[in-house]
Amino acid sequence: MAPSVSVESTVDKSLLEYLKQVRAQEIVLGTMDLSEFGILIDGLYFYKNEKLAADFMALDLLARSFCKIAVDHYPILLGKPAISSAGKGVISVDPSNLCLPDIAEIHVECPAETFFETLPGKARGDSDVLFFNTRKFYQLSGVARLPKASYHRDNASSVIRILRFKSSQYVALAFSFSHVMFDGIGGISFMNHWAEYTRNLEAVENGMYKLLDPPVSDREVMDRCFEGVQPKEPPFVKHFKETLPPLSMDMPKDIAPVLMASPDVPVIEEQHLVHFTASNLERLRQDIDRNETTNIALAALMTRNIVLANQRVFGTLPKTSYMVIPYDSRARS
């Protein structure tokens, strides 16, 4: 029998009243934002209570600081997706109709060390890597599954769980956010800002504290990059002309309602994963058009297969197909 698990939740009336102080606004979503509906940013942070403090990572403290940082600097956490009067996808922040954070505490009746495992360093001289085996955690802890963020449920776009383990100095903070809110760097920045508010909460609540490095949110940056982009017929359309029907490459219009209705990406265990090796992608590129990039070659293969799979399964061509390929375009030192 799996160990017992208890869950406590908190967003009390005083916090609700504070959340209602958030400024009403519509945060316009660009094409990149819209393409990320259903995709998550989530993870686990572990903290060690070395001083054995009774109030270490207290649920009330974390809930209060989360609500404060959301109102002061991250109102998008409290909004709901909508279509504006101009037909654009937005996150609507309405103090009378907020998307509340789901913050709770889970007590696990076994030590955190039960789920820690060690991997040797990749190179000689590297330190061993300690990691948390989530599969083992779900098998042995009594926790069936940590909840995931979703815009398809009320008050679930921000999900926080504090995991307290029996007879262990470790406390884990599990978080799950819609990717619409942040990219990876933005998510880490939010966690750091939340931690800064938590450490200085008394001064924050007395109006005596300001973030040392406040967030800057400019969601028009990527849209400005797309303004001058015009679609053109990629080389793979010609390459697959014998197996594909004619494909129009029109820039989609009124795309917001379609993308905002995208289903949530399933958990990793339920996904169908296909791995393309670098060598196979390079062979594909050489076959399609050696003057094009590997990304174009992959888009060629996926476009062909999406169309043919739809025709085979449903007996008809898809009316419209969208494919999202994430890229990390940050400069590397």
Side-chain angles (χ1 to χ4, degrees), residues 1-240:
M1 181 179 294
S4 61
V5 172
S6 61
V7 180
E8 300 175 10
S9 183
T10 180
V11 173
D12 60 24
K13 291 183 179 180
S14 62
L15 289 180
L16 287 175
E17 290 304 312
Y18 183 81
L19 291 175
K20 290 179 181 179
Q21 297 177 29
V22 69
R23 181 173 64 86
Q25 57 193 287
E26 285 188 345
I27 301 169
V28 178
L29 303 176
T31 303
M32 293 293 289
D33 300 317
L34 292 168
S35 69
E36 292 168 341
F37 267 83
I39 304 175
L40 300 179
I41 292 179
D42 55 9
L44 279 166
Y45 282 5
F46 279 85
Y47 302 86
K48 193 172 184 179
N49 185 7
E50 295 180 338
K51 296 181 179 180
L52 303 179
D55 60 349
F56 184 72
M57 299 285 289
L59 178 61
D60 176 65
L61 181 74
L62 291 170
R64 284 158 50 204
S65 59
F66 184 97
C67 293
K68 298 287 184 181
I69 195 70
V71 170
D72 292 352
H73 295 284
Y74 291 91
I76 193 171
L77 291 167
L78 305 174
K80 296 183 177 182
I83 303 297
S84 71
S85 57
K88 292 183 174 293
V90 300
I91 296 297
S92 175
V93 183
D94 179 357
S96 65
N97 186 28
L98 295 174
C99 187
L100 302 176
D102 179 359
I103 306 175
E105 189 172 63
I106 299 176
H107 296 269
V108 182
E109 290 298 315
C110 47
E113 289 77 1
T114 306
F115 316 109
F116 286 148
E117 295 186 9
T118 303
L119 288 178
K122 291 184 178 180
R124 181 178 296 179
D126 287 352
S127 301
D128 291 344
V129 177
L130 184 68
F131 77 98
F132 185 77
N133 190 326
T134 52
R135 179 174 296 182
K136 190 175 181 181
F137 173 70
Y138 289 131
Q139 289 174 343
L140 303 178
S141 68
V143 178
R145 179 71 57 183
L146 291 172
K148 300 297 183 182
S150 173
Y151 277 121
H152 298 301
R153 299 193 310 272
D154 286 339
N155 303 328
S157 61
S158 303
V159 178
I160 305 295
R161 289 294 181 269
I162 312 302
L163 306 181
R164 300 197 184 278
F165 301 90
K166 183 177 181 180
S167 305
S168 178
Q169 290 180 276
Y170 288 99
V171 175
L173 188 153
F175 60 91
S176 181
F177 303 110
S178 170
H179 207 334
V180 174
M181 301 176 185
F182 312 114
D183 63 2
I185 291 178
I188 293 172
S189 296
F190 167 74
M191 297 299 289
N192 289 336
H193 287 146
W194 180 17
E196 187 177 337
Y197 254 42
T198 303
R199 291 191 299 269
N200 300 279
L201 186 57
E202 183 176 350
V204 169
E205 293 182 326
N206 290 330
M208 302 295 292
Y209 187 82
K210 302 293 184 183
L211 286 176
L212 298 177
D213 187 17
V216 177
S217 180
D218 184 356
R219 290 181 172 265
E220 297 181 358
V221 170
M222 293 304 297
D223 270 1
R224 288 196 291 269
C225 293
F226 284 120
E227 283 178 356
V229 174
Q230 294 296 323
K232 64 179 183 179
E233 184 178 75
F236 60 78
V237 173
K238 296 177 181 177
H239 180 83
F240 289 122

